[in-house]
Amino acid sequence: MPKMRIWRNRQPFQNAVVATAPVCGVLMVTLQVRPPAVEVAMPGPVRVGWVLGLIVAGLVGLTGLFWPGRCATALGIELASMLMLGTLAGMYAVALAVFSGRMAVAAASFITAVAIGSWWRSAEIIRDLRGLARPRQPYPGDIFGRFP
């Protein structure tokens, strides 16, 4: 049976986004500023949820990355963060496209890439969690069914 590899804490771009998200959210709250695209394209409650979502998703992601316990628990926490960050980045990309149109092609492309990367990582985590949930088979040479 092939060995299963689970990559925790080895995604530098994901780690950078997860670490930056709460910083951005806290700065927007403390400085009371938001991107103009968010101000125009999102209604008030959605804007508040978007900013708080950045803070929560980043903190949840950092918790998952540094979780000292079981690997499956850490991956589940990381999955929640990646799904949240993908959704929040997608919301921002749509707001940019609506607000700035063709002028936002570069920025919206990069933000969309963050969303797609988050969802891609979510799919990897789901695959890893399914692999962890599968019952282990004994090694072919083990006649007693025990692991050496």
Side-chain angles (χ1 to χ4, degrees):
M1 183 169 149
K3 290 185 179 182
M4 190 169 91
R5 287 185 182 234
I6 296 176
W7 295 98
R8 281 187 57 210
N9 299 335
R10 298 209 181 165
Q11 310 289 335
F13 294 105
Q14 170 198 344
N15 296 351
V17 171
V18 165
T20 304
V23 173
C24 289
V26 167
L27 286 174
M28 283 189 266
V29 169
T30 56
L31 299 176
Q32 296 180 354
V33 295
R34 282 179 212 84
V38 171
E39 287 290 331
V40 172
M42 294 182 192
V46 175
R47 277 185 298 223
V48 172
W50 182 76
V51 171
L52 292 177
L54 281 175
I55 297 168
V56 170
L59 293 176
V60 168
L62 290 171
T63 302
L65 290 175
F66 296 110
W67 190 260
R70 293 180 43 154
C71 181
T73 305
L75 287 172
I77 294 169
E78 188 180 338
L79 174 62
S81 171
M82 288 296 99
L83 291 172
M84 288 172 56
L85 281 172
T87 302
L88 295 167
M91 289 171 66
Y92 185 46
V94 169
L96 275 172
V98 167
F99 179 70
S100 299
R102 293 187 314 186
M103 297 294 291
V105 168
S109 297
F110 276 97
I111 299 301
T112 301
V114 170
I116 291 170
S118 296
W119 294 325
W120 188 307
R121 179 66 183 138
S122 296
E124 290 178 344
I125 293 169
I126 290 169
R127 182 197 65 215
D128 291 343
L129 286 172
R130 285 183 178 160
L132 284 173
R134 263 188 244 122
R136 295 284 170 211
Q137 301 293 326
Y139 291 110
D142 187 14
I143 59 173
F144 299 109
R146 295 177 303 183
F147 291 101

